[in-house]
Amino acid sequence: MLKKLLMFALCLCLLVSGLSMTAFAGENTTYTYTVSVDRNWIRTQDAYMSGSVYLNGFGLTAPRDMFYFGRELYIADTGNARLVVFNIDSGATRILGEGILEEPSGIFVDTDGTIYVADSKIPAVVILNQQGEEQWRIERPTNFLFNELSVFEPKNVVVTSQGNIFVAGYGSYQGLMQFDRKGEFQGYFAANKRGLSPFEALQEKLLGEKAKENLLNRIPRAIQNIDLADRDMIYSVTQDENKAASKIGSTTKIENYLKKHNMTGLNILSRGGSMTEEWNFTDVAMGNDGNVYALTQSGLLFEYDYAGNLVFSFGGRAVSTDRLGLFTKAVAVDVDETGIIYVLDEERSVVQTFFPTEFTLLTHKAVNDLESGNYATSLETWSDLLKLNGNSSIAHLGYGKTLMYQGDYKGAMEHFKICDNKEYYSQAFWEIRSRWLNENILYVFLVLIIVVVAAYVVGFLKKKGIIKVKEKVAKKKGKFAQEIENIKNMIRHPLDSYYEIKIKRRGSILSATIIYIIAFVVFVLDLLGRGYLYSAMDIRTAPITLIPFIFFIPLGLWIFGNNMIASINEGEGTFRSVYISSAYMFAPYLLFTPAAVICTYVLSLNESFIVTILWLMGVVWTGVLLFIAVMEIHNYTFGEVVKNILLILFFMIMAVITFVILYLIWTQVVAFVGNFISEGVYRIFGV
Amino acid sequence: MKLNKRIIAFCVMLAVLVASVLSVTADKTSGSAVGNIASDLKGLSAVEVRSSRHTQYDTLSSEVVNLLTLEGFEEKFKNENFSVYFNEDIAGIRILDHRNGYIWGSIKELEPDDLSTGWTEMAHSMCTVEYFIEGNVERKISISNRKARTSYDWSDDSVVCDVNFSDLGIAFSFKITLLPDGLRAEMVEDSLEETGEAKLKALYFLPFLGATREDERSGYLFVPDGAGALIRFTKTSSYVTGYSGKVFGLDMGIDTLDQANDLQSNRTNDYLVDTPQVTMPVFGVVHGAKQNAVFGVIESGEEHAKIVASPAGVVTNYFWATACFDFRQLYVRSTGTNQGVYQPQDEPDDITPSVRYYFLQGQNADYSGMAVTYREYLKENGVLSAERKDENIPLKLQVIGAEEKEGIFFNSTATFTTADQAKDMISALKKDGIENLTFVFDGWQQGGISGSDFASTKFESKIGSKGDFEELKKLVTKNGGRFYLQYNPVTANDSQIKPSRQAAMSKSNNIAAITRPNTEVMYQKTYFVKPELLFGALDKYVKDMNGFNPSFTGIGTRLYADYTRKNETSRLEALNKTIKYFDEFEKDIALSQPNQYLFPYVDDYFDIPTTNSQYVYETDTVPFLQIVLKGSVDYYASYANQGFYSTNSILKMLEYGCYPSFLVTEADNFSLSDTPLEDYFSLNFEDWRGTIKEVYTVLNSVLKQTEGQTITEHTVLATGVSKVTYSEGTVVYVNYNEEPFAFGDVTVPAQGYTVERR
């Protein structure tokens, strides 16, 4: 019976519906995606169609790399220890390097036809001529720059027009190995940085130097693969194998996986901006239009423009089918001069091709025109592209940039806002603001002068006692309004205010509640009401229903915990005084945050420090008041306050964890009972 | 005399000239389909035409010789065209075609060294079965196996064979009959008896008929994958699986809809375009194009059949194609949460397999001849009749009215096109010279496409009242067009039905649904409703929507059984109910990719496939479906503005005789976000108006000349150049290449076409 029991895990993330509801889908086998204006993946017109399949049944064994040169594909037939050169036009093949190579895994062909092969088993970079005769080889450097303990297992190689040879190696976490034209080791180039996981960060803090040395896995990742970019720069991709194992334990991403290195090894692709990319890129290839293609192991191809913006993503994985355009284990990608993309599949040992559609040719043209300053034609092409996909981020960005360079800042701002590009929006905004200021500088000063003079006059009149109305009004104020006004005192004299709350029983539950509500309104305003340039969330996509919980749950836990911990630790405060004092601590927050929010409407990103300072002042001051509140209300010493606050935080965390555990147990119990019954039914009745 | 001579010479020359002019009475019109977008293709169309999305040029047209002999075979019966020979040792037959002397059979050698015994027996035998033992273990046995007890009852034109696998307790009878144009193999009705542990899984007739070892002869397999696909004979390559297409599509009631697939990336797993389903129960093998072909048509049991085609490199080195009849399938018997046992159905499905084989020779012996044969077969059976003949070709314009939009607190109904705006579109198109519209209005129901109640017949007031739609309909029909309302009686989302009560249940006791592996979409799950709900929705439409013709979603495409306890509906019952329903249906209907059983009822066929599934072993796409339908049913290509607008696409519509279609809204593209329409990236009517005119004008100039005609032949003259011959002698040449093509006195412009009328 047990033998018949075939367990199957319905792990949803691994199952893909073999059917969908859309019956119409052009003629491609996979959908082409691009990034939408709201940063989601959306489908777009087919970008590349699959073309021929080469070398099926030829007998390649686990090939690992491929290089396009002069209508020929140079393939590292790794499992057979040789190179296979395939002529695309004639279909003829020739074989090189037999008997010389052991496990070739990377190929580069120089403009004069010299073939550089990285072989990790020899280990060496072997240089062959077109006839396959060995010219020379680069072996493990003996030079003092190369550490004795370092690994030398060449994986791939590129050669710049200057003759510099860059070698990516297995386990070469120091970076790319750089050799001069004579094969002399020059040093390492472009090492990756390494982020720390939360656990590792803790280790870093707690362990001594000695212990840390034993932590082997603390080394940065080795570069996975490289390609030569334009102007002798180098593209590299790095994988995040931690991510493959689990998505939870992964380290924080501190660098892009796809990089373009300049002469000093610095990444110049999409600095600052976060790239839309994958952690399992396995190869990279330069395109003809300043674009670049990155390939994931699962067979996805990502095309980026010169600035690292995602243009298209297409292709996919084949698990049990033989459809065109899908891969079982994609390992290498290269592009020829007509824009045809070749992708090598290690497991299937075939080469598949993709060629651009009219839509892609148009996109490339638009990108080129924009880059080379043909704004008139570029405007037309981008507007055509917007017609073909109205929600494509890259199309709005391109159209907006063209408008901006033509001086239409208003129009540009509109498109930058649609595609959510704050950097360019800020630039256009700055232009408009400076233009407005230039035109209206006179009035601005005039208004400023009037305001200053008016304030001075009013002050003068008050002093002279000519205006008395105000004080009368103040006297008429009810107790409640006064309590609200206490906020002002809180900022000026926090200690006194808390004393009054505690001893003189000033303030009331009602006024405190109202302050909490106002604070919540300000919190929401800060989250959702900021000017576009400073908004962290889009009101359309924000988790609206979550926001009250984010605010009120910690607050409630804080008040409750504060009261509880204090009653254990001999605090003097009552629940009432805790409740009221906690409300008043929001005073600076209520004052500064709205000011910061107002600033977000008139400042460009260049002046962002003003907003940050205003906001921080509110938050930090509130934090200080919180500390003072605990101290005053419960009459604690400094040390007691610290202890109490830590205890309260501990209580808050435990409360959340307890809730989660109870919730999980409940679902487990339900599932267990369900299993038990259906198993019983099956065993007893056999149905 | 000298003068006379000159005069005579002159007269002769004149006569020759006149004669030559008169002899070419053909009226030729040429044109180019190049749009104004991206004319510089840099030679990429040469790559496109070599892909399996196009029909390839037959370079190997060498004469195919008989590789098979009749040695060891004994003649059993014959008619004027064929003789059937039999060899009892291998339980196999060979057929001699008297018309050209060609011998059909399976494989040459009695004991080939590259096949195992099991496969050899299957290759030779007339019949092979698969069965389950010990629960879900699958085995295969052929009637030539020692353990099979067989007895033959020969008559003048047929043989009945009783088979008894006594070890297994499976017994049945089948009959092979000789017909004037071929053979019929069928199971004798109600002859299946199961007495043992083993359970019959599947049955094949003549599985290796026409099988070819690698490229020992030129030719190909034909499968009805999409428009039609060829698998040319080549050397052995490595493939994972062969072709297997369930006739009339997967059954949501029992087939596994999910497949393991994970991109292991941040991008969603929602990347695969569906493979087109098998809508016609046919298959074929060609030995030398225009020389010999065998064409199979499943006549009974097709709803439980698969079309199977295997290229050299999948288990064997042979190319073979056949029909496989499934009597039982595996399903998951649940034994707890996320646990279960695979086990076969207890009772076999009630089917009586029957396959008819046509042996074609000469001009008919290729995919085009098979399509013509099938069309004639359908006409004889009353499935197809002559189409409506229009002066100008129709253009399909599908308009979206309302759809649900995701809101901050609750969803709202967003308006994309009102009835009045649709009227403006119609007048705009009229200005552009397009009057013959096939106009489909989607999202007219209250709440929009996804937001409406299931099968609602209430009009959304934001779009227009019933009166507005009647006016709209009048406007369309006045111009000579047809007006349809889009109606979905088959599928629903969470907000439309209560899935646990109203959706069909699978044999594995799951709710029949398709899940999109994309969490960003509004409705991830699409449920298939119970049959009674489906037919109830149809009744409701007939009752409430008097005067409006429907365009149905899912009808004729989705065929599924419902295994709701105590209220089961089998796949066959579902099929028969559908046919019976439409037998009495009085309105015109439009369907998207309907299966063959609804061909008699469909007035407009939408989203016709123009390619195959693009499996690596598929070498060509052929317009088989188009040849069958042309002249009988108006069919339309998929939406041009959703990735089918390029020069290549327009040429393909010309070649395949497809009418153009567009999906549009009045609202701009940006408003599509946060609605289920997000998948459609470009719908704005104004943006596309120019292209609509351009595409229609080119297609109309050619296809209006072939209105009402059937396609008699489709051939490829050179790579990227096709010739389509119509029944009244009109010939359409289509050239995909970037250089002009000269053929006799015809020159086809680069990326253009030439029409020749006689």
Side-chain angles (χ1 to χ4, degrees):
Chain A
M1 199 62 191
L2 266 177
K3 200 167 63 182
K4 281 196 215 165
L5 269 176
L6 260 168
M7 303 276 285
F8 65 99
L10 279 173
C11 180
L12 272 176
C13 67
L14 292 175
L15 287 173
V16 165
S17 203
L19 278 175
S20 70
M21 290 310 294
T22 38
F24 29 84
E27 297 200 320
N28 220 337
T29 52
T30 65
Y31 291 103
T32 301
Y33 278 81
T34 188
V35 175
S36 80
V37 291
D38 42 10
R39 304 228 171 138
N40 287 337
W41 287 106
I42 51 158
R43 290 180 186 165
T44 188
Q45 312 271 0
D46 288 332
Y48 292 84
M49 303 296 290
S50 42
S52 315
V53 175
Y54 297 133
L55 295 166
N56 193 3
F58 176 80
L60 297 177
T61 308
R64 290 226 192 109
D65 197 25
M66 174 179 62
F67 193 89
Y68 173 84
F69 176 75
R71 303 301 298 157
E72 285 182 318
L73 292 174
Y74 289 72
I75 293 161
D77 189 1
T78 314
N80 296 326
R82 61 182 184 177
L83 303 186
V84 173
V85 184
F86 174 76
N87 189 303
I88 292 160
D89 299 320
S90 68
T93 47
R94 55 200 173 94
I95 289 170
L96 304 177
E98 267 183 319
I100 304 171
L101 302 168
E102 289 179 28
E103 205 176 283
S105 61
I107 295 194
F108 182 89
V109 185
D110 209 350
T111 41
D112 63 359
T114 313
I115 307 165
Y116 294 75
V117 187
D119 192 314
S120 55
K121 201 172 175 189
I122 298 178
V125 174
V126 182
I127 290 94
L128 306 172
N129 65 9
Q130 276 292 313
Q131 285 68 49
E133 293 150 1
E134 181 173 345
Q135 305 299 295
W136 55 292
R137 57 171 69 190
I138 301 172
E139 294 190 293
R140 187 184 172 87
T142 47
N143 139 347
F144 70 95
L145 288 167
F146 198 84
N147 191 313
E148 270 177 49
L149 297 170
S150 294
V151 187
F152 181 75
E153 286 178 12
K155 181 177 189 181
N156 208 343
V157 54
V158 298
V159 183
T160 67
S161 60
Q162 307 292 314
N164 285 316
I165 301 162
F166 291 91
V167 179
Y170 292 99
S172 284
Y173 56 85
Q174 300 99 320
L176 299 178
M177 293 170 270
Q178 184 180 351
F179 297 87
D180 68 8
R181 61 177 66 224
K182 293 185 192 104
E184 201 62 33
F185 183 66
Q186 302 292 304
Y188 288 104
F189 180 82
N192 278 324
K193 296 194 192 86
R194 169 78 151 83
L196 297 174
S197 70
F199 176 69
E200 286 169 337
L202 196 68
Q203 275 187 326
E204 187 76 14
K205 293 275 179 305
L206 300 179
L207 295 183
E209 284 302 315
K210 266 269 181 293
K212 269 196 251 178
E213 274 174 25
N214 295 331
L215 292 173
L216 281 172
N217 59 353
R218 196 61 62 71
I219 50 177
R221 291 174 223 302
I223 286 172
Q224 173 78 14
N225 220 328
I226 47 178
D227 192 33
L228 194 63
D230 45 344
R231 294 190 293 264
D232 271 354
M233 288 190 274
I234 290 171
Y235 282 117
S236 78
V237 284
T238 305
Q239 288 194 348
D240 189 348
E241 62 282 327
N242 278 6
K243 216 152 179 186
S246 81
K247 292 203 172 180
I248 304 152
S250 66
T251 58
T252 40
K253 182 183 161 189
I254 55 163
E255 283 187 304
N256 291 339
Y257 300 126
L258 170 65
K259 294 187 217 166
K260 185 180 188 179
H261 303 280
N262 66 8
M263 296 303 171
T264 62
L266 211 69
N267 177 27
I268 59 159
L269 200 63
S270 185
R271 270 173 304 175
S274 58
M275 273 181 78
T276 308
E277 55 177 0
E278 295 294 347
W279 53 271
N280 58 351
F281 281 148
T282 182
D283 195 17
V284 55
M286 186 190 71
N288 305 309
D289 299 293
N291 52 351
V292 55
Y293 299 89
L295 172 74
T296 73
Q297 261 172 2
S298 49
L300 286 184
L301 274 154
F302 283 60
E303 182 185 347
Y304 299 92
D305 71 359
Y306 58 93
N309 297 307
L310 185 107
V311 186
F312 300 120
S313 163
F314 57 99
R317 190 166 176 215
V319 173
S320 54
T321 64
D322 284 298
R323 285 177 86 187
L324 291 176
L326 304 174
F327 305 91
T328 305
K329 189 183 179 192
V331 281
V333 57
D334 213 346
V335 189
D336 74 9
E337 61 280 342
T338 53
I340 296 178
I341 305 169
Y342 302 88
V343 180
L344 179 68
D345 191 328
E346 177 176 338
E347 207 161 306
R348 299 272 170 102
S349 300
V350 295
V351 176
Q352 290 204 44
T353 59
F354 293 94
F355 62 94
T357 60
E358 290 179 17
F359 175 60
T360 301
L361 295 176
L362 192 69
T363 308
H364 290 171
K365 183 174 173 300
V367 172
N368 275 340
D369 282 345
L370 179 63
E371 209 186 354
S372 53
N374 296 329
Y375 300 129
T377 52
S378 135
L379 197 68
E380 201 180 304
T381 350
W382 282 117
S383 106
D384 279 344
L385 286 172
L386 277 180
K387 283 180 194 169
L388 291 170
N389 187 344
N391 284 330
S392 148
S393 173
I394 184 121
H396 279 284
L397 182 64
Y399 192 68
K401 276 187 193 168
T402 315
L403 287 177
M404 187 165 82
Y405 295 141
Q406 286 187 322
D408 179 0
Y409 300 110
K410 260 228 150 68
M413 263 167 75
E414 191 189 316
H415 286 277
F416 291 143
K417 190 168 181 176
I418 289 175
C419 67
D420 197 22
N421 191 309
K422 289 186 170 146
E423 198 186 326
Y424 280 101
Y425 182 91
S426 171
Q427 278 183 31
F429 177 75
W430 191 89
E431 293 283 352
I432 286 191
R433 198 185 57 186
S434 75
R435 204 189 271 180
W436 184 86
L437 279 177
N438 276 337
E439 284 167 9
N440 300 293
I441 194 79
L442 199 69
Y443 305 108
V444 172
F445 272 109
L446 218 63
V447 169
L448 275 178
I449 289 167
I450 290 170
V451 168
V452 169
V453 167
Y456 184 77
V457 169
V458 169
F460 180 77
L461 291 181
K462 257 187 186 173
K463 223 177 188 179
K464 290 279 169 187
I466 294 170
I467 302 177
K468 288 179 181 171
V469 207
K470 262 208 156 176
E471 278 176 31
K472 273 182 188 171
V473 176
K475 272 179 191 167
K476 278 181 192 167
K477 272 184 195 165
K479 187 187 167 217
F480 173 72
Q482 248 174 7
E483 283 168 4
I484 299 289
E485 222 181 60
N486 279 348
I487 293 177
K488 246 176 16 190
N489 292 338
M490 183 57 72
I491 291 172
R492 277 187 270 176
H493 314 288
L495 293 178
D496 296 353
S497 302
Y498 282 129
Y499 179 77
E500 283 175 0
I501 289 170
K502 188 176 148 197
I503 305 298
K504 295 189 180 170
R505 296 184 62 82
R506 280 183 77 165
S508 69
I509 297 284
L510 177 68
S511 58
T513 309
I514 288 183
I515 293 172
Y516 283 132
I517 290 169
I518 296 173
F520 175 65
V521 170
V522 172
F523 178 72
V524 173
L525 182 76
D526 188 29
L527 273 186
L528 301 176
R530 285 178 166 213
Y532 168 67
L533 277 176
Y534 291 89
S535 61
M537 274 184 212
D538 188 344
I539 192 150
R540 291 174 302 159
T541 54
I544 299 285
T545 45
L546 271 182
I547 290 176
F549 293 101
I550 296 171
F551 184 80
F552 285 113
I553 287 181
L555 182 68
L557 284 174
W558 168 264
I559 295 169
F560 189 71
N562 188 347
N563 190 43
M564 202 176 77
I565 303 288
S567 59
I568 300 168
N569 284 343
E570 295 159 1
E572 292 177 4
T574 58
F575 180 78
R576 179 182 176 279
S577 55
V578 167
Y579 186 80
I580 296 171
S581 64
S582 300
Y584 281 103
M585 78 190 181
F586 281 111
Y589 182 75
L590 297 185
L591 191 73
F592 287 101
T593 310
V597 170
I598 290 168
C599 284
T600 60
Y601 284 90
V602 290
L603 299 180
S604 74
L605 283 182
N606 295 348
E607 303 98 21
S608 63
F609 67 96
I610 298 178
V611 175
T612 316
I613 285 176
L614 278 175
W615 189 82
L616 272 180
M617 269 167 83
V619 172
V620 171
W621 201 331
T622 297
V624 171
L625 286 187
L626 177 146
F627 193 88
I628 296 175
V630 175
M631 191 151 87
E632 282 301 303
I633 298 292
H634 300 307
N635 200 9
Y636 283 151
T637 63
F638 184 83
E640 282 172 332
V641 175
V642 174
K643 191 179 107 188
N644 254 42
I645 288 181
L646 285 178
L647 280 172
I648 295 169
L649 290 177
F650 179 72
F651 161 77
M652 289 168 74
I653 293 166
M654 291 319 287
V656 171
I657 290 175
T658 313
F659 178 76
V660 171
I661 287 175
L662 282 177
Y663 178 76
L664 286 181
I665 286 177
W666 176 243
T667 40
Q668 284 294 311
V669 168
V670 170
F672 173 75
V673 172
N675 271 350
F676 188 79
I677 292 172
S678 55
E679 175 73 22
V681 168
Y682 180 71
R683 297 277 171 182
I684 297 163
F685 304 105
V687 282
Chain B
M1 277 302 275
K2 250 186 183 177
L3 191 74
N4 273 355
K5 254 187 185 171
R6 279 191 183 174
I7 289 172
I8 290 165
F10 180 73
C11 287
V12 168
M13 273 169 66
L14 201 72
V16 167
L17 204 73
V18 168
S20 64
V21 167
L22 283 177
S23 70
V24 192
T25 47
D27 162 24
K28 282 188 217 109
T29 44
S30 300
S32 158
V34 181
N36 48 8
I37 293 173
S39 50
D40 180 22
L41 284 171
K42 296 187 286 189
L44 291 173
S45 51
V47 190
E48 169 65 33
V49 295
R50 281 179 175 81
S51 78
S52 62
R53 293 178 293 274
H54 292 265
T55 315
Q56 301 305 310
Y57 177 54
D58 254 314
T59 43
L60 300 157
S61 51
S62 58
E63 200 188 329
V64 168
V65 292
N66 270 330
L67 292 175
L68 303 179
T69 62
L70 296 170
E71 208 183 302
F73 286 77
E74 177 191 346
E75 183 172 301
K76 286 292 189 181
F77 45 73
K78 66 174 183 176
N79 63 14
E80 56 184 286
N81 287 336
F82 310 103
S83 290
V84 174
Y85 292 77
F86 179 64
N87 179 338
E88 185 150 7
D89 295 341
I90 58 170
I93 54 169
R94 281 187 183 169
I95 300 107
L96 172 66
D97 189 336
H98 295 303
R99 295 170 299 184
N100 60 1
Y102 196 71
I103 299 166
W104 286 97
S106 60
I107 55 176
K108 290 196 287 249
E109 301 92 348
L110 288 185
E111 278 163 12
D113 45 17
D114 58 353
L115 279 184
S116 66
T117 321
W119 279 100
T120 309
E121 285 175 0
M122 177 171 177
H124 289 307
S125 306
M126 287 184 281
C127 183
T128 298
V129 296
E130 289 174 354
Y131 58 93
F132 292 109
I133 51 160
E134 293 167 16
N136 55 26
V137 181
E138 292 171 28
R139 293 275 161 75
K140 180 175 71 187
I141 190 165
S142 302
I143 58 165
S144 57
N145 191 285
R146 282 178 294 107
K147 290 178 182 167
R149 283 194 287 133
T150 48
S151 65
Y152 299 94
D153 178 11
W154 297 94
S155 68
D156 276 358
D157 65 346
S158 66
V159 55
V160 175
C161 172
D162 298 321
V163 188
N164 188 355
F165 298 105
S166 43
D167 287 8
L168 305 170
I170 296 174
F172 61 90
S173 311
F174 69 91
K175 183 179 177 188
I176 289 185
T177 315
L178 183 64
L179 303 168
D181 44 16
L183 285 181
R184 175 180 287 126
E186 65 198 311
M187 190 157 159
V188 175
E189 218 172 325
D190 298 325
S191 64
L192 175 65
E193 278 172 35
E194 289 180 301
T195 49
E197 273 284 294
K199 291 176 171 171
L200 180 63
K201 173 178 181 278
L203 178 143
Y204 301 86
F205 289 125
L206 302 168
F208 271 60
L209 182 63
T212 300
R213 188 175 196 281
E214 295 192 320
D215 53 354
E216 65 181 1
R217 53 171 86 87
S218 78
Y220 48 79
L221 307 178
F222 161 77
V223 286
D225 179 17
L230 305 186
I231 301 168
R232 288 182 192 270
F233 300 154
T234 54
K235 289 263 179 260
T236 296
S237 290
S238 62
Y239 305 110
V240 180
T241 54
Y243 179 80
S244 171
K246 182 151 180 160
V247 176
F248 304 151
L250 290 182
D251 185 343
M252 275 56 77
I254 193 156
D255 286 311
T256 314
L257 302 179
D258 294 328
Q259 45 190 249
N261 228 342
D262 185 3
L263 290 178
Q264 299 174 332
S265 67
N266 299 323
R267 217 191 87 180
T268 117
N269 271 337
D270 186 13
Y271 66 98
L272 269 180
V273 174
D274 271 0
T275 50
Q277 71 187 36
V278 172
T279 59
M280 297 166 293
V282 295
F283 59 91
V285 183
V286 168
H287 287 182
K290 304 247 178 250
Q291 296 175 49
N292 311 286
V294 56
F295 176 55
V297 179
I298 306 178
E299 292 196 309
S300 168
E302 65 267 39
E303 72 284 346
H304 283 97
K306 285 185 302 219
I307 302 297
V308 179
S310 186
V314 179
V315 187
T316 70
N317 290 325
Y318 292 85
F319 284 89
W320 53 280
T322 188
C324 166
F325 295 89
D326 280 325
F327 282 80
R328 280 193 182 84
Q329 282 181 263
L330 286 177
Y331 71 99
V332 178
R333 227 217 70 89
S334 164
T335 55
T337 315
N338 294 351
Q339 285 177 22
V341 210
Y342 276 105
Q343 65 178 47
Q345 289 163 271
D346 288 335
E347 290 302 313
D349 283 309
D350 180 22
I351 48 174
T352 311
S354 167
V355 186
R356 182 163 173 175
Y357 299 90
Y358 290 89
F359 295 101
L360 309 174
Q361 51 104 30
Q363 283 304 303
N364 265 337
D366 65 350
Y367 62 88
S368 160
M370 290 181 192
V372 171
T373 307
Y374 189 54
R375 181 178 67 213
E376 296 312 315
Y377 170 84
L378 292 180
K379 280 189 172 167
E380 273 166 34
N381 290 296
V383 174
L384 290 177
S385 48
E387 69 164 359
R388 178 195 72 250
K389 199 170 163 181
D390 291 337
E391 193 190 332
N392 284 308
I393 64 159
L395 169 89
K396 178 193 171 192
L397 193 73
Q398 179 150 347
V399 169
I400 296 174
E403 178 56 304
E404 192 176 9
K405 196 172 181 91
E406 235 173 346
I408 296 174
F409 295 108
F410 38 82
N411 295 349
S412 59
T413 307
T415 312
F416 291 91
T417 320
T418 64
D420 285 338
Q421 287 166 338
K423 278 181 210 160
D424 295 343
M425 289 181 186
I426 293 167
S427 19
L429 289 178
K430 194 172 178 178
K431 245 177 244 165
D432 293 343
I434 307 171
E435 293 191 75
N436 187 8
L437 289 181
T438 297
F439 194 95
V440 184
F441 208 107
D442 197 359
W444 51 274
Q445 290 148 302
Q446 193 176 35
I449 302 172
S450 317
S452 69
D453 292 339
F454 171 69
S456 164
T457 51
K458 286 188 200 127
F459 286 95
E460 168 63 52
S461 55
K462 286 183 185 170
I463 305 300
S465 64
K466 190 168 184 180
D468 292 331
F469 277 91
E470 265 157 9
E471 267 178 55
L472 188 63
K473 182 193 159 192
K474 236 174 255 166
L475 189 64
V476 173
T477 44
K478 197 183 77 197
N479 292 342
R482 292 144 304 283
F483 184 83
Y484 292 106
L485 289 179
Q486 190 71 31
Y487 191 69
N488 180 359
V490 180
T491 58
N493 60 38
D494 299 281
S495 72
Q496 292 174 321
I497 59 164
K498 288 260 171 305
S500 54
R501 280 192 285 118
Q502 294 175 298
M505 296 299 289
S506 74
K507 183 80 184 162
S508 308
N509 211 23
N510 292 320
I511 295 171
I514 290 172
T515 312
R516 255 182 88 168
N518 183 347
T519 48
E520 287 171 2
V521 295
M522 270 175 78
Y523 293 106
Q524 258 191 291
K525 285 208 165 199
T526 307
Y527 300 96
F528 294 87
V529 303
K530 287 197 198 303
E532 59 262 32
L533 217 63
L534 193 160
F535 289 102
L538 289 175
D539 285 337
K540 194 175 171 195
Y541 187 91
V542 173
K543 199 173 110 244
D544 296 353
M545 303 304 290
N546 198 17
F548 289 106
N549 290 327
S551 160
F552 289 124
T553 309
I555 293 267
T557 317
R558 306 294 190 184
L559 179 63
Y560 54 93
D562 176 16
Y563 290 95
T564 305
R565 232 168 256 176
K566 288 175 190 155
N567 190 15
E568 293 191 5
T569 308
S570 75
R571 188 169 161 95
L572 181 61
E573 280 162 7
L575 189 153
N576 287 336
K577 263 188 181 173
T578 312
I579 294 176
K580 198 164 158 256
Y581 195 91
F582 284 101
D583 254 341
E584 291 157 16
F585 201 76
E586 283 167 359
K587 296 175 189 304
D588 286 351
I589 55 169
L591 297 172
S592 168
Q593 297 183 1
N595 289 325
Q596 175 262 313
Y597 55 85
L598 283 188
F599 283 177
Y601 313 103
V602 63
D603 294 277
D604 286 286
Y605 183 123
F606 294 152
D607 310 314
I608 195 162
T610 50
T611 177
N612 54 38
S613 302
Q614 299 182 59
Y615 291 109
V616 176
Y617 44 79
E618 289 177 328
T619 50
D620 309 44
T621 297
V622 292
F624 182 91
L625 177 59
Q626 283 80 358
I627 298 174
V628 170
L629 292 178
K630 192 75 196 171
S632 299
V633 177
D634 279 354
Y635 53 86
Y636 302 79
S638 60
Y639 301 120
N641 54 329
Q642 300 296 306
F644 207 63
Y645 66 93
S646 68
T647 311
N648 177 59
S649 316
I650 296 168
L651 289 172
K652 199 147 193 192
M653 285 192 255
L654 279 176
E655 182 189 353
Y656 284 21
C658 309
Y659 302 135
S661 68
F662 287 84
L663 177 67
V664 295
T665 61
E666 183 66 28
D668 60 13
N669 294 329
F670 190 56
S671 60
L672 301 174
S673 55
D674 302 323
T675 73
L677 300 175
E678 218 167 12
D679 287 335
Y680 308 103
F681 24 83
S682 175
L683 298 182
N684 182 267
F685 176 72
E686 270 315 305
D687 287 350
W688 285 97
R689 193 176 156 188
T691 314
I692 295 176
K693 187 183 174 184
E694 216 173 280
V695 171
Y696 180 81
T697 313
V698 171
L699 289 178
N700 188 38
S701 71
V702 177
L703 296 180
K704 75 176 184 187
Q705 305 183 49
T706 66
E707 267 292 298
Q709 303 179 37
T710 54
I711 297 175
T712 51
E713 196 185 18
H714 175 274
T715 48
V716 174
L717 301 177
T719 301
V721 185
S722 318
K723 176 188 173 194
V724 190
T725 314
Y726 284 83
S727 54
E728 287 166 29
T730 311
V731 182
V732 177
Y733 297 91
V734 178
N735 180 11
Y736 290 87
N737 299 320
E738 287 161 50
E739 309 82 38
F741 176 78
F743 174 71
D745 54 351
V746 179
T747 303
V748 194
Q751 300 227 294
Y753 56 87
T754 297
V755 187
E756 201 178 47
R757 291 188 83 168
R758 285 190 212 284

